[in-house]
Amino acid sequence: MMRLLSGLIADTLRALFGGGRNVVAETVEVFRENAEGAALRSEARHAAAMAQFAAEFSRDRRGWFDRLMDGVNRLPRPLLALSTLGLLAAAMVDPLWFAARMRGLALVPEPLWWLLGVVVSFYFGARQQVKHQSFQRDIAAQLAQARRVAGDIAEIDTLRTTAKDAATPPPPQAPIAAANPALGQWLRDRDETR
């Protein structure tokens, strides 16, 4: 008898909690959200958002030489501006020294000035070309995202229109307005104010 009773209890407990299922927990989850599952979903949503931000704001990783060359390429414009200001300051501080240097520049042959102009033009032109190509690449990436954003906006507008249509009550039927003259007048006044 004890063996039968223990077998019956074991079968009942196995039916409730056995087979990899927990019937009590599943029943409670119908009425109350599983906190652990909610935390896992929240963590997954947070990780997806962070991955999106990381992809959006990531920069290409370049070596130390490329970074050094970028730093060197940034020097000529500030040096040209500061040296021009320095020449103006030198002309005010020591006019004779400045005049001697300018006399030396006057002796530079014209073909050398042309060569200097070509070198400076190619330098700044190539630098502008690199910046322009980088800008074009960034614009192309933004346009690729713009299509997805436009699709999302269209979907939101569709949902908004659907929700608005569902919330708008249907217009009253004409027989009801005809049967009640006051209601008909009210409906006409309401339509005129819109």
Side-chain angles (χ1 to χ4, degrees):
M1 183 68 168
M2 277 306 271
R3 191 175 276 256
L4 180 65
L5 187 56
S6 73
L8 185 61
I9 292 172
D11 287 343
T12 304
L13 289 175
R14 197 173 303 116
L16 286 177
F17 302 108
R21 294 182 59 207
N22 187 342
V23 177
V24 175
E26 289 175 7
T27 304
V28 170
E29 286 176 2
V30 170
F31 301 104
R32 185 175 182 275
E33 182 182 20
N34 183 340
E36 183 179 354
L40 289 174
R41 287 187 297 275
S42 176
E43 176 61 28
R45 188 171 42 249
H46 179 71
M50 293 308 287
Q52 178 186 356
F53 287 144
E56 186 175 343
F57 295 109
S58 68
R59 291 192 168 183
D60 55 339
R61 303 289 181 231
R62 298 181 325 192
W64 67 270
F65 183 76
D66 291 329
R67 291 193 308 265
L68 176 69
M69 286 297 108
D70 276 347
V72 169
N73 281 332
R74 287 188 179 106
L75 289 177
R77 284 178 283 190
L79 287 178
L80 285 171
L82 293 175
S83 61
T84 302
L85 293 175
L87 284 174
L88 290 174
M92 289 186 277
V93 171
D94 191 358
L96 295 177
W97 180 87
F98 181 76
R101 285 355 173 235
M102 293 302 111
R103 272 292 196 205
L105 283 177
L107 297 176
V108 174
E110 189 164 337
L112 190 57
W113 284 114
W114 282 99
L115 180 62
L116 178 66
V118 167
V119 168
V120 169
S121 298
F122 276 125
Y123 170 79
F124 285 113
R127 183 89 173 128
Q128 198 277 338
Q129 179 68 25
V130 167
K131 293 295 184 183
H132 181 70
Q133 287 173 346
S134 174
F135 178 71
Q136 292 292 331
R137 194 170 32 254
D138 291 344
I139 290 293
Q142 291 297 325
L143 286 177
Q145 285 186 345
R147 289 188 187 106
R148 192 187 81 221
V149 169
D152 291 346
I153 290 172
E155 184 178 341
I156 289 170
D157 286 342
T158 302
L159 290 173
R160 184 177 292 140
T161 304
T162 305
K164 188 177 181 181
D165 290 344
T168 304
Q173 289 81 16
I176 295 173
N180 187 344
L183 179 60
Q185 181 63 38
W186 178 79
L187 289 173
R188 283 190 296 277
D189 291 345
R190 185 187 69 172
D191 290 341
E192 288 174 5
T193 59
R194 285 188 183 180

